[in-house]
Amino acid sequence: RKDFLKTGAFTDVVSDHWAYKYIQALRANDLVQGVNNQFFPEKELSRAEALKIVLKAGQISATTFPTLPAFKDVPAKEWFSSVVATAKARGIVSGQGENFFPYRALTRSEALKIIQKAYGLKAQKTIDRPNDIISRAEFAKLVAISFRLL
């Protein structure tokens, strides 16, 4: 049963879904687990959820060290606090002022930026990036291709 949860298909992502292979690649690499065996491919994902996936894909272990001043909206008790602290320490995220907005829906532009920075690449400022909300399926495709999971 445990192996199925890691590699089996989500019940809401059929094999002819356009993003099936990308979502399965994330699942096979233990980057996503879903909820009650569902992935919700057309739903948005939060900035905190996306950051966790990208760090795992880049094999960047979340740690609370080195300790940096926390974002005001990232309480230490939250599941994502070490993920955000690690990403901040590595320069993957900088937040907006003193806030990170972990629950806000991830935009396409933010997705591209955190993937680039997780690779240690400088995000180019001259490229016009769309600022619309990205779906879980679209994000799965970006991560699967960027981290060569296929």
Side-chain angles (χ1 to χ4, degrees), residues 3 9 39 46 53 56 73 96 115 122 126 140-141:
D3 289 338
F39 183 72
S46 73
I53 293 167
K56 282 183 84 174
D73 61 351
Q96 294 174 354
I115 289 169
K122 215 174 193 177
T126 56
K141 180 179 180 181

Side-chain angles (χ1 to χ4, degrees), residues 67-88:
T67 305
L68 289 177
F71 291 112
K72 284 187 173 185
D73 61 351
V74 180
K77 68 182 186 305
E78 288 290 347
W79 66 265
F80 53 78
S81 64
S82 63
V83 170
V84 174
T86 299
K88 184 178 181 185

Side-chain angles (χ1 to χ4, degrees), residues 12-13 17 19 23 39-44 135-138:
D12 62 342
V13 184
H17 186 283
I23 294 166
F39 183 72
F40 308 101
E42 305 315 317
K43 188 179 174 193
E44 61 195 33
S135 73
R136 291 171 180 263
E138 292 170 308

